[in-house]
Amino acid sequence: MKKHRFLLVFVLLLTIGMVLGACGSSDKEGDNKEASGDSNGEKAASDDFSVGMVTDVGGVDDKSFNQSAWEGLQAFGKEHDMEKGKGFDYSQSESDADYTTNLNRLVREDYNLIFGIGYKLQPAIEKVAEQYPDTHFSIVDSVAKGDNVASITFKEHQGSFLAGVVAAMKTKSNKIGFVGGVDGDLINKFEAGFVAGVKTVNPDIDVDVQYAESFAAADKGKLIASSMYSKGIDVIYHASGATGNGVFSQAKDLKKNNPDKDYWVIGVDRDQYDEGQIGDYNVTLTSMVKRVDVAVQDVATQSMEGSFPGGEVLEYGLDDDAISIARTNKDALTDDITNAVEEYKGKIVDGDIEVPSTRDELDKYIKSL
């Protein structure tokens, strides 16, 4: 009897031990799974994450803000071992009518985050975002309504002010040009900041302002530049997307035929030094660099990590190095110019100079000089 009772207790203890061992093994496997990222946690979410962008009519190779945005998306994809078409991609717009169509197509293809590049996409972004509240959207260079929309803006007027300082210190003729794309609130920020920078250095400098009314008309840009240079203007700042390619083309043509004369161009959005190369010479004086690529990569990362800034307006400026002046052409940017740029940058960041961002503000600023 005692023997049977002993065996019964032994079997009972053995069974309890096996159950506890199984439970412990299960917990351990769960811990290992979570530690390796195989659970339904952040890594799994990042593996399934995809991001796309819709260009404006300037196209992904506009050598300006569309291209900069695409470079940011490519950098994001590379960081997370993605491939074009498998994790990130773009849709090119040939006309304004393509914006809504392209946004809807990316939604149907289940992209988690979709960027609209350029303020002209604002109405389309707001419309599509309202229809698809579970999809994240972001617009560059404008503010759009929607809890699922992040608006990316920049303090372009600050960088343009510094570009104006460079132009004013470089001109020999005291005649400077500004070529804008479409005349509106956004490009007026570039214009106002630039003219303010020029006039701060020398109020007597004449600034000729012209608009091409397009971001994709290189022929119009070339024509405007030809007219400006023929009037003695020796520095042109363009804020016109792909239209600016015509400004560079005209400056290079003139420089080739008149190597002893100055035909400078100030680029925009990205460092456009390469666009100004002609033989051993470069007509790109500097560029007002707007780090659209950094902003796109930043917002994409936030969305993937579950902290998407929906409904927020993000503004990038001099104080976080998202706006800057390119210094690639070291032969053209003398020490006195770069020192002046640093001095004025400090005054802007510290609040000693309030750079105008509209024409009305510009008028008041000039009168105060």
Side-chain angles (χ1 to χ4, degrees):
M1 186 72 176
K2 288 183 179 179
K3 186 176 182 180
H4 290 301
R5 192 177 296 166
F6 173 79
L7 287 173
L8 185 61
V9 172
F10 177 79
V11 171
L12 184 61
L13 290 171
L14 183 63
T15 301
I16 292 172
M18 291 176 66
V19 171
L20 290 173
C23 291
S25 175
S26 177
D27 289 343
K28 189 173 182 181
E29 286 176 10
D31 292 342
N32 288 338
K33 206 172 186 183
E34 187 175 351
S36 64
D38 292 333
S39 65
N40 293 324
E42 185 177 305
K43 187 175 187 302
S46 68
D47 287 342
D48 296 334
F49 185 82
S50 60
V51 55
M53 63 172 255
V54 175
T55 75
D56 78 350
V57 294
V60 77
D61 57 352
D62 65 350
K63 305 185 189 307
S64 190
F65 66 101
N66 281 289
Q67 184 168 332
S68 181
W70 177 234
E71 288 170 353
L73 218 56
Q74 289 175 301
F76 175 80
K78 183 177 181 181
E79 181 183 1
H80 298 286
D81 297 321
M82 298 174 177
E83 297 179 11
K84 182 179 180 295
K86 296 180 180 179
F88 71 97
D89 209 341
Y90 72 90
S91 185
Q92 185 136 317
S93 303
E94 302 302 329
S95 70
D96 293 1
D98 293 335
Y99 298 152
T100 300
T101 301
N102 287 336
L103 289 168
N104 277 314
R105 181 177 68 79
L106 293 182
V107 171
R108 289 195 302 272
E109 293 176 2
D110 293 326
Y111 281 88
N112 302 95
L113 170 63
I114 301 170
F115 287 94
I117 310 304
Y119 73 90
K120 297 180 79 174
L121 277 85
Q122 179 190 340
I125 283 279
E126 290 182 339
K127 178 182 177 181
V128 178
E130 185 177 8
Q131 295 171 342
Y132 299 98
D134 293 332
T135 300
H136 289 166
F137 295 87
S138 183
I139 186 164
V140 175
D141 280 346
S142 187
V143 176
K145 300 175 183 177
D147 293 337
N148 58 332
V149 182
S151 300
I152 296 173
T153 64
F154 295 86
K155 299 176 183 177
E156 296 97 345
H157 51 303
Q158 293 183 343
S160 296
F161 183 99
L162 299 181
V165 170
V166 173
M169 296 186 70
K170 195 66 178 179
T171 182
K172 294 177 181 176
S173 64
N174 279 351
K175 296 179 181 180
I176 291 172
F178 174 85
V179 177
V182 176
D183 191 349
D185 291 344
L186 175 63
I187 306 304
N188 290 167
K189 289 172 67 178
F190 292 81
E191 176 195 334
F194 180 67
V195 176
V198 171
K199 296 292 186 178
T200 298
V201 173
N202 184 353
D204 295 328
I205 291 177
D206 179 60
V207 183
D208 183 5
V209 175
Q210 295 190 43
Y211 280 80
E213 292 305 333
S214 173
F215 291 110
D219 56 340
K220 189 73 177 289
K222 186 176 176 67
L223 189 64
I224 293 174
S226 176
S227 172
M228 287 184 171
Y229 287 128
S230 68
K231 293 187 293 187
I233 287 172
D234 54 1
V235 183
I236 297 176
Y237 174 39
H238 93 88
S240 58
T243 297
N245 295 337
V247 178
F248 280 104
S249 176
Q250 181 63 18
K252 289 192 289 186
D253 287 349
L254 290 171
K255 187 65 179 178
K256 184 178 180 180
N257 296 321
N258 303 278
D260 295 329
K261 290 193 66 176
D262 289 337
Y263 303 98
W264 294 113
V265 182
I266 297 178
V268 75
D269 292 337
R270 55 195 297 275
D271 186 352
Q272 295 193 300
Y273 180 81
D274 290 344
E275 279 63 65
Q277 195 67 45
I278 173 172
D280 295 330
Y281 195 82
N282 199 300
V283 299
T284 305
L285 177 57
T286 183
S287 299
M288 197 287 285
V289 181
K290 183 170 73 172
R291 298 302 302 272
V292 179
D293 56 333
V294 170
V296 165
Q297 193 171 356
D298 180 34
V299 172
T301 299
Q302 290 184 58
S303 180
M304 187 186 71
E305 293 178 347
S307 56
F308 179 68
E312 297 182 24
V313 178
L314 311 175
E315 189 175 36
Y316 297 83
L318 286 175
D319 50 354
D320 48 21
D321 293 326
I323 294 288
S324 63
I325 290 296
R327 306 188 183 194
T328 315
N329 196 341
K330 299 184 184 302
D331 293 333
L333 294 183
T334 55
D335 288 343
D336 60 328
I337 294 177
T338 56
N339 290 338
V341 166
E342 283 303 306
E343 179 184 348
Y344 282 111
K345 177 183 176 181
K347 290 180 178 180
I348 294 170
V349 172
D350 292 341
D352 296 331
I353 292 178
E354 188 69 32
V355 180
S357 61
T358 67
R359 287 171 179 161
D360 286 342
E361 292 176 358
L362 174 62
D363 289 341
K364 294 177 182 177
Y365 181 87
I366 292 176
K367 290 176 182 177
S368 71
L369 293 176

